[in-house]
Amino acid sequence: MFTLVVDVLIFFAIAVAVVGALTRYRANLNTAFGLASTIGFGLALYFWWNLYLEVQRAGGVLVLKALPVLASSSLRIDMLGMFFSLLFLLVGFTSSFHSMRYMEHDSGHAQYYALLLSMVAGMVGVVYAGDFFTLFFFWELMAITSYVLVAFRKHLWEPVEAGFKYLVMSAAGSALILLAIALLYGITGTTDLAGIASAIKAGTINAELKTWLYFAIAVIVTGFGIKASIVPLHTWLPDAHPAAPTPISAMLSGVVIKTGVYAIIRMLGLVIYPAALDWNMVAVVVAFFAALTMTVGNVMALLQEDVKRLLACSSIAHIGYIMLGVSIGLLGGTIGLYGYTAGLLHTMNHAIMKGLAFLAVGAFIHAAGTRKLSELVGIGHRMRAMAVIFVIAILALSGVPPMNGFVSELMLVLATLNAGMGIMVAVLLANILIGFGYYLRLLYIMVWQSPRSELETIRGTSWLMLIPCGILASLCILIGVYPEPFLDFASQAAQAVANLPAYTAIA
Amino acid sequence: MDVYTIGLAGGMLLIILGIYGLTVKGNMIRLILSVEILTNGAIVVLVTFGATPLGVINPVIISLAILAVGVGGCIAAVGLAIVIQAFRHYKTLNVRELKRLRW
Amino acid sequence: MLPYAPFLVWVIPLVASALMPLAALNSRTRDIFPVLVGFTTAVFAFSMVPDVAAGPPYPNPQLTWLVIPGLITVNIGVIVDPLSVFMACVVAGIGSLILLYSIGYMAGEEGMTRYWFFMLLFIGSMVGLVVADNFLWLYIFWEMVGLCSYALIGFWYKRPEARKAGFKAFIVTRIGDVFLLTGIILVYLTTGSFAFKDLQGALEAFKVLPYTLSVVPFLMLIGAIGKSAQLPLHVWLPDAMEGPTPVSALIHAATMVKAGVYLMARTHFIYMEAAPEAWLTTLVWVGAVTALLTATMGLTSVDIKRVLAYSTISQIGYMMMGLGLGAGAGFIFLSQFHLMSHAIFKALLFLAAGILVHSFHGMRDMRKMGGLWRDAPVSFYAMVIGVLALGGVPPFNGFWSKDLIFAAAMETGNYAALAFAVVTAAITLAYGLRLIYLTYLGEKRSDEVRKAVIHEPAVMTIPLFILSALCFITGFTAEGFASFLGILGGHSHVVLHIEPLSAALSIIAIIAGALPIYLVYGRKSPPPERFAIGGWGFLQRMLSEGYYFDRFYYAVFVDGLKSAVQGFRKSHPGILNFNMSLILGGFIVLTLLLLTLGGGW
């Protein structure tokens, strides 16, 4: 229906939910549901690969809905969508794998896995959507499932408080997205992304239309920016991400916020980009917000006492780095291509390394039963294998070669220089330095110091947690040492961003 | 005044009302209501635009509007469920009491 | 040269380090395999000597690493020229001797696989660093040697001091690294390439030097200061002595800390083009001040390895000064010659001290030692040779290389720097002799030392013999060395024979350094206790605290930063209405910005 990738996820979500309902949620079927969900993700990855070959060959895939009334509702799959969907599926796969052990003491497993699968289905749908109707549908599928997942442990006060704040802020964002859709429809008379872009390209831009388009850009950046947590729209993130169960935190911090980035790239870079606006100015404005985002994110992370909250704050900072790449992309031409490539490569790297960091921390939290740094002192000594993985993740996040974070941060710096934004380079480097401070603090407390006596009983890590973390950790090193194919993929996706003729030609 | 102006003005009024509620009101139920008002304002704008440029009502826009209404219902349902849980934990509906999470 | 030597010389240890888990299946192969790898690496490194001795053109093979068509291409290139081959030989040669010594020193330790893994990774990365032909790979290897260094400082991670020291090294050197990276990026921005030779070509092509390039020398200098532990980023190196002694000898004395000197020497062509006067002055004075201040710190330290660490910082200061003076005088190989001397005698000193530290199970307090010369004769004689070489006593190599630096200072007429150099030389000999008096002479001052049994197994003494012999030999090779580095070509007026005046200064420094120590520790008049009270006491406390650098950094960068961040925390009250107002404010600001700047009104 929506390509096999999405369908298989939805099928498994429904299947898990139905089986859960049939067993009346009594039996503790965590491992069975987790296995089913992981297999679902595995299958989706396989179908992704088939789809990738198809997209590679034909330049894109168009899937039209069957209902005649909604004929314009469609999926339009290009390289950019393939790029993002791979990240979603990869982190979804590892999180689901990890949950098999992490969620063993919780209840409501059927709901948990069904929601996780639906959330990923929604995210993949968002990046495949070729039409605002489809996009909005999948966007809300992702958003509503994520509200429930954040507040999943409803017997605790924290997820409830965080879930409520997240819900209200994010729902306000959804309303703004709807408003943006209305504005764009009012300007062009269609909801098809390619159609809007073509109409904007064909029409002439008078002063009134210009005002409306700038207003539309502001609404789009705010609406999607809430999900991407651009400062000052970020206040929900440090609450919601730590409050969720840790595999979900890995999803939220690793990939869910990237859907917001995707939407901003797609809207500004493709849909409105043909309009004769002052894009250099827009780029500078976005870069300004990117600088604000990375600085505030890093400063917030500095003194956190909660390990998950610290990682969540660092996600804000990394969104700032990615948005910097996007803002350079808006400059267009070769410079812009460079910026998109750097931003997308950092998106990929951040998804992998932040997902990994959360999953590794999840293993520690699962063993120690606490998230406070002061109570996790020296836990690395008790769980050696996981400690090695955690060190890899943190080194990658802090941008130390030969890990993947270094490659993309270097690319970002080069792209920024290439675009002639000297001040932004200084901001970026200063931020990388600040970031280094708290990543090291994390390493120092959790891996370096001698373990607390309360942690004496912990012995080793479950294979169910080591395998998914190992997959991501090896990717961290692989991308760092041999970035060529990944960079090539990112650059293909970047080339798809502003390539309107190719996007329109997808059939 | 034509339909266009009335629709836009009404939509914008609803949006402003929603934003006012979200930034000022402290009651959690009122916040959920404000979110709904905000969404409905956007829907009104959407339907207004959908009605006028083509002279006829565009089916895609109407289905999108119906979808948005449904989504609004879902959000309200999930939101109210969370409100109930929050009331159990905090014994209040005042959102200003929900400030244990800072930073 | 052996086939593919420029690549294999660093790939072999890197691959071998990855194979360590396999080699560790058997405890004998676990210890023998890395040593064999070390010597193989040395053979590859030395096999490149004849090729470069023949003179230019030097081979410069390339492999492609990272390409976006039309945007960026980065190669893994290696350069085989006298400087890189010389550094590779020092690293691989001394590295293999120290690996051999480690078999004895680390016998019976836990976590040996980890130890060998990081040692081999270090040797591979360090050789990679010196043969890389572009800034990007230099930087990558630069970080990798850093990582190995932190991991090995913290090798005994169960000891809190070791963990703290590793952590401190990580933070402090990283500050320098960010500046280095900034410099590299500016180079790339201006020339569009990371390669050294492209930069050199671009510098020659520029009529007017771009503004960006003129700051590059200073950014890179800060990077070098961090790695080479120069003032004011020197605070990590004394603490790094918490690592095993072979690690201190290899990484924190003989090789890694010289990376800064290497970087300065490798890139001096930028500086000579971009900022000759300012850069040379900065370099000379960073070196001179570091050399003097850290030498005085060495006078009061009671930890045998910390004395050697302060001495390392001080001697690297000498090299920096030598580089600045020598580049001004037209012969930059001065610092490299002292680098080689220092690598040999400092490795010797550390390994000799290691025999004691090993026997006392990590106890390093010299106040408890004394009278050990009968128990550890090899260590004692090695230490004496090392201290004499360090103190610049003829005919050991330190005398020759220091003498050249004095001569260069006179040549350039920089008499202030000369004064610093001479005073430092005197203090250097003084703390060296103090170390010998306190540890080997007199009588044993604690039961711990009286009861200890001192072993000097062959694997540990053979490297000592070899290094002692090298201390004699290399001093007389200045002539050959100069022609090997090929830098003397156009500057035949530079003298390599001993100038009477600089030799006289050396003799004065020797007497001025040795006499007070002989009086205080040998004749006990005045006795050492005299210096713990009054004005001397204040001075002594200040020196033992290292001029309060650590405390200052902590107050500013840890406590100051903490309170600033706490202040910022007030901006997030965690109330939902406030969050929504932020969103509204952000939206309004964004709209106004776009409409105003875009002229949309």
Side-chain angles (χ1 to χ4, degrees):
Chain A
M1 196 163 62
F2 303 113
T3 77
L4 277 172
V5 180
V6 183
D7 290 349
V8 74
L9 292 175
I10 293 176
F11 170 77
F12 272 90
I14 294 172
V16 167
V18 167
V19 173
L22 289 180
T23 55
R24 294 178 184 270
Y25 308 115
R26 274 184 202 142
N28 189 340
L29 291 175
N30 179 35
T31 316
F33 287 140
L35 199 61
S37 145
T38 311
I39 291 171
F41 280 116
L43 277 176
L45 276 168
Y46 169 73
F47 291 130
W48 179 90
W49 175 247
N50 285 347
L51 194 61
Y52 173 77
L53 293 179
E54 179 81 12
V55 172
Q56 182 83 298
R57 190 177 51 76
V61 174
L62 183 70
V63 183
L64 285 171
K65 273 282 302 228
L67 286 174
V69 177
L70 304 176
S72 73
S73 160
S74 63
L75 301 180
R76 200 181 275 271
I77 305 163
D78 65 346
M79 246 341 157
L80 185 64
M82 293 312 287
F83 181 83
F84 275 90
S85 56
L86 174 64
L87 303 183
F88 302 159
L89 293 173
L90 182 68
V91 181
F93 175 78
T94 46
S95 298
S96 162
F97 207 133
H98 192 271
S99 302
M100 277 195 258
R101 179 49 56 93
Y102 188 83
M103 297 301 287
E104 62 189 350
H105 303 306
D106 284 75
S107 58
H109 296 117
Q111 294 96 319
Y112 174 84
Y113 289 107
L115 287 166
L116 177 59
L117 284 159
S118 321
M119 183 167 81
V120 179
M123 284 152 63
V124 176
V126 166
V127 298
Y128 286 175
D131 174 272
F132 270 126
F133 179 84
T134 328
L135 190 136
F136 188 72
F137 171 77
F138 282 116
W139 183 270
E140 291 302 331
L141 178 62
M142 168 192 81
I144 294 173
T145 47
S146 68
Y147 308 148
V148 183
L149 281 171
V150 166
F152 191 74
R153 287 171 168 170
K154 59 185 189 302
H155 54 282
L156 304 173
W157 63 266
E158 190 195 353
V160 171
E161 177 179 337
F164 185 72
K165 289 179 179 171
Y166 176 38
L167 180 132
V168 172
M169 295 176 74
S170 185
S174 298
L176 283 177
I177 293 167
L178 205 55
L179 183 62
I181 296 173
L183 289 173
L184 287 178
Y185 180 78
I187 292 166
T188 61
T190 172
T191 58
D192 185 53
L193 297 183
I196 294 173
S198 308
I200 287 178
K201 193 175 190 176
T204 49
I205 310 277
N206 58 25
E208 195 196 346
L209 196 55
K210 207 169 168 183
T211 310
W212 279 113
L213 278 175
Y214 277 129
F215 185 64
I217 290 177
V219 175
I220 285 170
V221 172
T222 317
F224 290 110
I226 289 178
K227 196 58 120 189
S229 87
I230 296 168
V231 174
L233 322 170
H234 66 290
T235 37
W236 61 273
L237 188 145
D239 299 342
H241 285 193
T246 309
I248 299 303
S249 309
M251 287 299 294
L252 292 171
S253 251
V255 289
V256 173
I257 52 176
K258 307 290 168 30
T259 35
V261 174
Y262 161 81
I264 292 175
I265 293 179
R266 184 66 101 194
M267 296 307 139
L268 298 193
L270 181 88
V271 176
I272 313 184
Y273 203 67
L277 301 176
D278 186 356
W279 284 104
N280 288 354
M281 183 276 295
V282 177
V284 171
V285 170
V286 175
F288 166 73
F289 278 94
L292 198 63
T293 306
M294 57 179 97
T295 316
V296 171
N298 275 328
V299 172
M300 283 174 78
L302 268 178
L303 290 186
Q304 293 295 346
E305 287 304 318
D306 174 338
V307 51
K308 281 174 74 176
R309 222 171 157 73
L310 190 153
L311 288 176
C313 290
S314 103
S315 289
I316 301 179
H318 280 273
I319 285 293
Y321 303 157
I322 295 168
M323 286 311 292
L324 178 62
V326 174
S327 76
I328 296 162
L330 292 177
L331 294 172
T334 326
I335 295 174
L337 192 58
Y338 207 158
Y340 279 136
T341 310
L344 289 176
L345 190 67
H346 197 67
T347 308
M348 171 188 260
N349 287 343
H350 181 248
I352 292 170
M353 59 205 186
K354 187 53 68 69
L356 176 60
F358 264 111
L359 292 183
V361 160
F364 296 144
I365 294 171
H366 184 67
T370 175
R371 276 165 33 196
K372 286 207 184 92
L373 271 177
S374 53
E375 293 173 15
L376 285 169
V377 171
I379 180 118
H381 293 280
R382 295 269 157 262
M383 305 165 77
R384 297 275 185 78
M386 199 44 101
V388 171
I389 287 171
F390 181 66
V391 169
I392 291 174
I394 295 297
L395 289 183
L397 279 168
S398 50
V400 175
M403 310 295 171
N404 57 357
F406 170 72
V407 178
S408 52
E409 278 174 12
L410 180 77
M411 290 283 298
L412 267 178
V413 171
L414 292 179
T416 318
L417 277 174
N418 201 25
M421 296 186 183
I423 302 165
M424 287 308 298
V425 177
V427 174
L428 184 60
L429 286 174
N431 270 291
I432 290 173
L433 196 59
I434 301 177
F436 201 69
Y438 61 79
Y439 291 126
L440 277 189
R441 177 167 163 260
L442 210 55
L443 275 192
Y444 182 58
I445 294 175
M446 292 175 67
V447 181
W448 248 259
Q449 291 196 334
S450 31
R452 297 170 75 233
S453 48
E454 285 86 343
L455 304 173
E456 282 299 322
T457 49
I458 299 171
R459 285 280 176 276
T461 320
S462 156
W463 283 106
L464 287 176
M465 286 177 167
L466 277 179
I467 292 171
C469 293
I471 295 172
L472 291 178
S474 41
L475 272 175
C476 273
I477 294 175
L478 179 65
I479 299 179
V481 176
Y482 186 56
E484 178 73 43
F486 303 92
L487 195 58
D488 184 52
F489 190 28
S491 121
Q492 281 180 37
Q495 276 157 7
V497 172
N499 195 345
L500 182 60
Y503 189 71
T504 322
I506 291 172
Chain B
M1 282 207 290
D2 55 353
V3 182
Y4 189 80
T5 319
I6 295 171
L8 270 188
M12 284 302 172
L13 189 68
L14 285 177
I15 288 174
I16 290 167
L17 265 179
I19 291 174
Y20 167 79
L22 285 173
T23 48
V24 176
K25 294 296 173 191
N27 187 302
M28 290 163 83
I29 309 252
R30 278 172 200 251
L31 283 173
I32 299 281
L33 285 176
S34 304
V35 167
E36 290 305 308
I37 293 171
L38 188 63
T39 315
N40 287 342
I43 295 172
V44 170
V45 174
L46 183 72
V47 173
T48 311
F49 278 133
T52 42
L54 306 176
V56 288
I57 289 176
N58 184 333
V60 179
I61 288 304
I62 293 307
S63 45
L64 184 51
I66 293 170
L67 173 68
V69 170
V71 163
C74 288
I75 290 176
V78 175
L80 289 173
I82 296 179
V83 169
I84 291 170
Q85 295 296 336
F87 186 74
R88 283 191 186 149
H89 288 290
Y90 290 82
K91 307 290 175 221
T92 174
L93 283 177
N94 188 352
V95 80
R96 294 194 182 98
E97 301 296 317
L98 267 70
K99 55 174 183 184
R100 290 193 209 164
L101 290 173
R102 298 186 55 200
W103 255 145
Chain C
M1 93 178 99
L2 292 168
Y4 301 108
F7 286 104
L8 286 181
V9 71
W10 53 276
V11 170
I12 286 176
L14 288 183
V15 171
S17 72
L19 294 179
M20 266 322 289
L22 283 180
L25 292 176
N26 176 315
S27 66
R28 284 192 72 80
T29 48
R30 184 191 67 190
D31 293 346
I32 292 169
F33 171 71
V35 178
L36 288 179
V37 171
F39 281 103
T40 316
T41 310
V43 168
F44 272 96
F46 281 102
S47 79
M48 291 189 286
V49 171
D51 294 72
V52 289
Y58 303 118
N60 184 8
Q62 305 279 331
L63 288 177
T64 310
W65 179 58
L66 192 151
V67 181
I68 314 176
L71 289 181
I72 180 173
T73 309
V74 178
N75 290 339
I76 305 181
V78 292
I79 179 125
V80 185
D81 70 354
L83 184 59
S84 64
V85 170
F86 156 69
M87 288 296 292
C89 290
V90 171
V91 174
I94 295 189
S96 47
L97 289 180
I98 289 174
L99 286 180
L100 180 64
Y101 178 90
S102 303
I103 292 185
Y105 189 89
M106 302 299 286
E109 289 286 345
E110 269 179 47
M112 279 310 286
T113 315
R114 184 160 49 98
Y115 177 83
W116 291 122
F117 169 76
F118 280 114
M119 284 300 253
L120 288 177
L121 189 65
F122 170 77
I123 291 178
S125 312
M126 189 69 208
V127 177
L129 194 161
V130 298
V131 299
D133 84 330
N134 64 63
F135 281 113
L136 187 65
W137 275 88
L138 180 132
Y139 180 74
I140 289 173
F141 284 125
W142 182 277
E143 289 288 350
M144 281 170 67
V145 291
L147 284 180
C148 299
S149 143
Y150 322 134
L152 286 170
I153 294 170
F155 179 73
W156 286 306
Y157 58 87
K158 287 179 181 152
R159 292 214 298 242
E161 305 87 28
R163 293 193 302 259
K164 268 192 192 126
F167 196 64
K168 192 168 169 184
F170 203 1
I171 292 182
V172 176
T173 53
R174 201 40 210 198
I175 294 171
D177 293 352
V178 170
F179 285 96
L180 172 64
L181 184 60
T182 317
I184 291 173
I185 287 161
L186 283 180
V187 167
Y188 180 78
L189 174 71
T190 340
T191 65
S193 162
F194 286 112
F196 300 138
K197 66 171 191 295
D198 292 349
L199 175 59
Q200 196 155 15
L203 280 170
E204 282 155 13
F206 279 127
K207 293 246 166 16
V208 182
L209 204 67
Y211 169 72
T212 44
L213 269 191
S214 58
V215 293
V216 166
F218 297 97
L219 294 171
M220 291 197 176
L221 179 62
I222 297 175
I225 283 175
K227 201 60 138 194
S228 290
Q230 299 292 288
L231 247 52
L233 295 178
H234 65 288
V235 288
W236 65 272
L237 189 59
D239 290 0
M241 294 300 122
E242 295 296 336
T245 308
V247 171
S248 309
L250 177 61
I251 300 183
H252 305 118
T255 54
M256 187 194 80
V257 288
K258 309 282 175 54
V261 181
Y262 166 76
L263 177 70
M264 290 291 105
R266 169 61 77 196
T267 51
H268 81 284
F269 58 83
I270 316 177
Y271 317 133
M272 296 314 287
E273 289 286 339
E277 270 315 308
W279 175 68
L280 284 178
T281 318
T282 320
L283 197 60
V284 168
W285 285 106
V286 166
V289 173
T290 307
L292 185 61
L293 286 189
T294 48
T296 55
M297 294 181 205
L299 266 180
T300 55
S301 184
V302 290
D303 177 331
I304 185 167
K305 283 178 71 183
R306 277 180 94 92
V307 173
L308 296 178
Y310 282 126
S311 155
T312 304
I313 305 175
S314 166
Q315 292 299 309
I316 294 172
Y318 245 92
M319 286 169 221
M320 291 285 187
M321 182 164 59
L323 191 58
L325 294 170
F331 55 148
I332 70 138
F333 93 98
L334 262 184
S335 62
Q336 304 304 314
F337 191 46
H338 194 56
L339 188 153
M340 180 176 71
S341 305
H342 177 255
I344 291 167
F345 66 65
K346 192 49 66 67
L348 177 66
L349 286 168
F350 265 112
L351 297 187
I355 287 182
L356 301 185
V357 176
H358 181 57
S359 310
F360 303 143
H361 306 290
M363 199 278 295
R364 306 194 304 258
D365 192 338
M366 291 195 296
R367 286 171 299 191
K368 294 183 182 165
M369 298 180 190
L372 290 163
W373 69 279
R374 269 181 211 286
D375 305 78
V378 179
S379 160
F380 172 63
Y381 290 115
M383 189 68 94
V384 169
I385 291 172
V387 164
L388 293 182
L390 169 71
V393 176
F396 298 102
N397 55 4
F399 168 74
W400 303 93
S401 52
K402 244 177 218 179
D403 192 63
L404 279 175
I405 293 176
F406 291 173
M410 277 190 273
E411 181 102 2
T412 50
N414 197 339
Y415 293 106
L418 181 65
F420 267 75
V422 174
V423 174
T424 308
I427 299 176
T428 306
L429 185 61
Y431 64 67
L433 291 176
R434 172 175 173 268
L435 187 148
I436 290 182
Y437 268 112
L438 284 177
T439 41
Y440 292 98
L441 304 178
E443 57 195 34
K444 295 179 180 173
R445 287 186 289 273
S446 70
D447 285 339
E448 196 181 349
V449 170
R450 271 178 224 118
K451 280 180 198 154
V453 185
I454 296 180
H455 295 291
E456 292 187 325
V459 280
M460 291 166 85
T461 51
I462 289 171
L464 289 183
F465 289 130
I466 296 175
L467 290 169
S468 304
L470 285 174
C471 273
F472 276 110
I473 298 164
T474 55
F476 301 99
T477 58
E479 204 72 63
F481 191 84
S483 62
F484 174 71
L485 274 184
I487 294 159
L488 225 55
H491 304 279
S492 47
H493 67 281
V494 173
V495 276
L496 280 177
H497 58 84
I498 299 167
E499 270 194 85
L501 189 53
S502 68
L505 282 174
S506 296
I507 303 295
I508 292 171
I510 290 168
I511 293 169
L515 196 60
I517 295 297
Y518 172 69
L519 290 176
V520 173
Y521 289 97
R523 297 269 306 269
K524 305 272 183 201
S525 65
E529 293 75 27
R530 165 73 187 78
F531 295 98
I533 46 171
W536 287 107
F538 170 74
L539 192 65
Q540 199 179 27
R541 275 192 300 281
M542 188 169 81
L543 293 181
S544 332
E545 287 273 342
Y547 296 100
Y548 305 107
F549 270 104
D550 271 335
R551 284 200 196 175
F552 173 75
Y553 287 153
Y554 199 84
V556 172
F557 292 110
V558 181
D559 292 343
L561 202 67
K562 258 188 195 166
S563 52
V565 173
Q566 288 292 356
F568 181 71
R569 195 167 205 156
K570 293 199 177 70
S571 65
H572 287 67
I575 296 171
L576 186 56
N577 294 137
F578 181 80
N579 294 354
M580 294 310 295
S581 315
L582 270 184
I583 292 184
L584 181 63
F587 175 62
I588 291 172
V589 169
L590 183 60
T591 316
L592 289 181
L593 271 179
L594 285 174
L595 287 179
T596 314
L597 296 175
W601 294 111

